[in-house]
Amino acid sequence: LDLEPFFRYKLKFLPVVFGWLQRAEPYLDFHHPGIECRKVAAMYKFMRVMPQLVADGYWAHVLKVTLEKKRKLLLELDALDETEKSARKRVKH
C-alpha cells in the first residue's frame, strides 16, 4: 500500500486506513494471512514518518491520566480533611 499521499493528514487518516483494510477482509480468500501484516505495516509506516506526533500523543495521554489521578487524590484528600475537621469539632464539644 502506498500511504505517502495520506501522510499530509498526519495521524487523522490512520483509522480510515484500518477501516478500509477491515472492509476489504471479507473479499479476500477466507482469512488471508496478509491482511494483518498489512495493518501492522500501515501503522508502522505512519509511525515511522511521524515519530514525534506518535510520541507527543503518547505523552499527552500519560499526562492526562496522571492529572486525572492527581485530581482524584486531591478530592480524596479534601474529603479526609473535612472528616478530620468534623471529628475534631466533636471531640472539643
Side-chain angles (χ1 to χ4, degrees):
L1 291 172
D2 182 21
L3 299 173
E4 206 167 310
F6 305 118
F7 290 161
R8 66 181 170 168
Y9 299 109
K10 300 184 180 172
L11 295 177
K12 295 175 190 169
F13 206 78
L14 192 57
V16 174
V17 172
F18 279 108
W20 179 79
L21 289 170
Q22 285 179 330
R23 285 191 305 280
E25 198 169 355
Y27 299 103
L28 298 172
D29 295 335
F30 234 125
H31 292 288
H32 194 274
I35 197 74
E36 291 300 319
C37 291
R38 287 178 186 238
K39 287 179 187 177
V40 172
M43 187 167 65
Y44 177 74
K45 284 179 184 178
F46 271 89
M47 289 171 56
R48 198 176 84 209
V49 170
M50 295 169 249
Q52 191 59 46
L53 284 176
V54 174
D56 288 349
Y58 171 76
W59 288 113
H61 173 72
V62 169
L63 179 62
K64 179 182 173 185
V65 169
T66 304
L67 290 174
E68 181 63 24
K69 286 181 182 179
K70 180 182 176 183
R71 186 186 69 79
K72 287 180 181 179
L73 286 172
L74 289 174
L75 288 173
E76 191 174 321
L77 186 60
D78 286 345
L80 288 172
D81 284 344
E82 288 299 320
T83 304
E84 183 182 6
K85 284 179 186 178
S86 64
R88 286 179 189 248
K89 284 181 183 179
R90 279 183 273 153
V91 169
K92 283 185 179 180
H93 291 98

